[in-house]
Amino acid sequence: MGYPVMYQIEDIYYPVLSAIGVPINLVAIVILSRGKCGLSKCITVYLVGMAVSDLLVVITDPILTYIAVIYFPKSFLRITPVCSLIEVLLSASTDISVWLTVTFTFDRFVAICCEKLKTKYCNEKTATVVVGTVSVVGCLECLPWYFTLEQDYFIDNVPMGCVHKPSFYTSPIWEAFELFNYILTPCAPISLILLLNVLIVKRILFSSKIRRGFRSHSTGENHKDPEMENRRKSIILLFSISGSFILLWVTQVVFIIYRRIADIQSYSSYTDPVYITDQTSKMLQLLSSCTNTCIYTVTQTKFREELKKAVKYPLNLIVKLVKT
């Protein structure tokens, strides 16, 4: 039997994703941290937190979990305690990335739909506390994954590799823990993001109708409303991030539900449609860790300007060195 087609695709996909995901998330972190993108400090805190968690997802998943295993099968990364820790970090960074998207969406919901709460909640201090809390809780919630793994084989009496313990598949406690994690990430976040976006759209339509009517009545002309223009830009950013997240995660959510209902524990072959769907859903989910920077570039004029400066800076240095 030849090398499975799905493996051939993954051998190309994961290195390319890593080569793109690491630099673009680093660039996003640097540019956003400078605070020159015309975004509020509150929004900036959330976006930086999301970029950091996305960067960790790219490092721990395609790089340390896939590429390192393929090209460095006997490295220290394959020592059981080390790869168990990597599994925990992978799960934690994924959960944190997902829930920071939820908290960012909730922040925009409060800003648009809850005028009385807006001043107290939508500020830099609250955003920092929320990001920190989500990060700590995400790490603590994923710690039990460490104890579900054991060595796969030994090399010179050193435990190597990570596989789930037999008890993971038979214990009701671990089964409940796995189900809880599936609900926590990504089923609940997608449901919450959809709900919050629906409420936001409803509020926007209602506010826009009233505001247009008021301005038309008071001026008799159709002038541009600066406040509505600023809100429009914020909404475009929010819906772009939320929409991208949902589209790239929905395949995995549907597959998880299907697998639980059908009680699928294994695959018949590498060409099994269920196996292909599982791997494809994982690849799409990982792609979500690289899309936010592209969204900022498309939707935010000042981010594009800062990105151009960042690209030109090393080129200008090279030109100066050549001239001297």
Side-chain angles (χ1 to χ4, degrees):
M1 183 177 179
Y3 198 54
V5 175
M6 203 65 205
Y7 280 11
Q8 296 177 38
I9 294 173
E10 290 173 344
D11 285 351
I12 298 172
Y13 180 81
Y14 287 122
V16 170
L17 184 73
S18 303
I20 295 173
V22 171
I24 66 172
N25 279 304
L26 283 173
V27 167
I29 292 168
V30 172
I31 292 177
L32 291 168
S33 297
R34 286 165 57 86
K36 296 182 178 180
C37 296
L39 300 169
S40 69
K41 291 182 179 180
C42 173
I43 293 178
T44 300
V45 169
Y46 284 110
L47 297 187
V48 170
M50 291 160 65
V52 171
S53 59
D54 286 342
L55 175 64
L56 291 176
V57 170
V58 175
I59 292 173
T60 55
D61 200 335
I63 295 178
L64 296 183
T65 304
Y66 187 85
I67 297 174
V69 171
I70 298 298
Y71 297 102
F72 308 100
K74 296 182 181 180
S75 72
F76 77 97
L77 295 173
R78 297 305 298 153
I79 298 175
T80 300
V82 176
C83 74
S84 297
L85 181 60
I86 291 173
E87 288 290 332
V88 172
L89 292 175
L90 166 59
S91 180
S93 57
T94 302
D95 286 5
I96 292 168
S97 175
V98 169
W99 279 98
L100 285 182
T101 305
V102 176
T103 55
F104 171 66
T105 306
F106 181 74
D107 177 87
R108 293 301 85 200
F109 166 77
V110 172
I112 295 167
C113 303
C114 308
E115 292 294 333
K116 293 182 180 180
L117 187 59
K118 177 180 177 180
T119 304
K120 293 182 179 180
Y121 186 84
C122 301
N123 55 65
E124 185 180 11
K125 181 179 179 181
T126 301
T128 303
V129 171
V130 170
V131 170
T133 302
V134 169
S135 301
V136 172
V137 172
C139 291
L140 293 176
E141 185 270 329
C142 291
L143 278 178
W145 285 116
Y146 185 92
F147 303 101
T148 68
L149 302 168
E150 64 180 6
Q151 73 281 348
D152 188 20
Y153 53 93
F154 287 90
I155 296 181
D156 297 330
N157 292 324
V158 177
M160 303 289 289
C162 290
V163 293
H164 285 297
K165 297 176 180 178
S167 60
F168 178 75
Y169 300 100
T170 58
S171 170
I173 295 176
W174 287 126
E175 183 178 358
F177 175 71
E178 184 182 25
L179 180 60
F180 170 73
N181 273 271
Y182 283 147
I183 294 173
L184 190 66
T185 306
C187 296
I190 284 187
S191 300
L192 287 171
I193 289 173
L194 282 172
L195 174 62
L196 290 171
N197 278 309
V198 168
L199 294 174
I200 289 171
V201 169
K202 184 178 179 181
R203 175 69 177 184
I204 290 172
L205 293 175
F206 179 74
S207 299
S208 298
K209 184 177 179 180
I210 293 177
R211 198 168 184 84
R212 282 197 301 268
F214 174 76
R215 289 181 63 84
S216 176
H217 178 73
S218 59
T219 65
E221 299 178 11
N222 187 24
H223 293 296
K224 282 190 175 181
D225 186 341
E227 184 176 333
M228 291 301 295
E229 189 66 18
N230 291 333
R231 178 171 289 189
R232 184 184 67 84
K233 293 179 180 179
S234 177
I235 293 305
I236 289 174
L237 176 63
L238 170 63
F239 286 174
S240 299
I241 293 174
S242 299
S244 171
F245 172 80
I246 291 171
L247 287 173
L248 294 174
W249 273 86
V250 69
T251 304
Q252 188 168 78
V253 172
V254 172
F255 178 77
I256 288 172
I257 295 172
Y258 170 75
R259 187 172 65 184
R260 299 295 299 186
I261 293 174
D263 194 26
I264 297 173
Q265 301 293 336
S266 60
Y267 310 108
S268 59
S269 68
Y270 294 118
T271 58
D272 186 341
V274 177
Y275 171 77
I276 293 173
T277 303
D278 186 13
Q279 298 305 107
T280 302
S281 69
K282 290 178 181 177
M283 288 192 288
L284 289 173
Q285 172 237 306
L286 278 175
L287 183 60
S288 67
S289 63
C290 303
T291 55
N292 283 350
T293 303
C294 300
I295 290 171
Y296 307 151
T297 304
V298 172
T299 62
Q300 303 297 307
T301 304
K302 291 187 178 180
F303 185 90
R304 285 199 300 274
E305 293 173 357
E306 291 298 314
L307 182 59
K308 289 177 183 177
K309 291 179 183 178
V311 173
K312 290 179 180 178
Y313 182 74
L315 297 177
N316 292 335
L317 284 180
I318 293 172
V319 171
K320 288 180 180 179
L321 289 173
V322 171
K323 287 182 177 181
T324 55

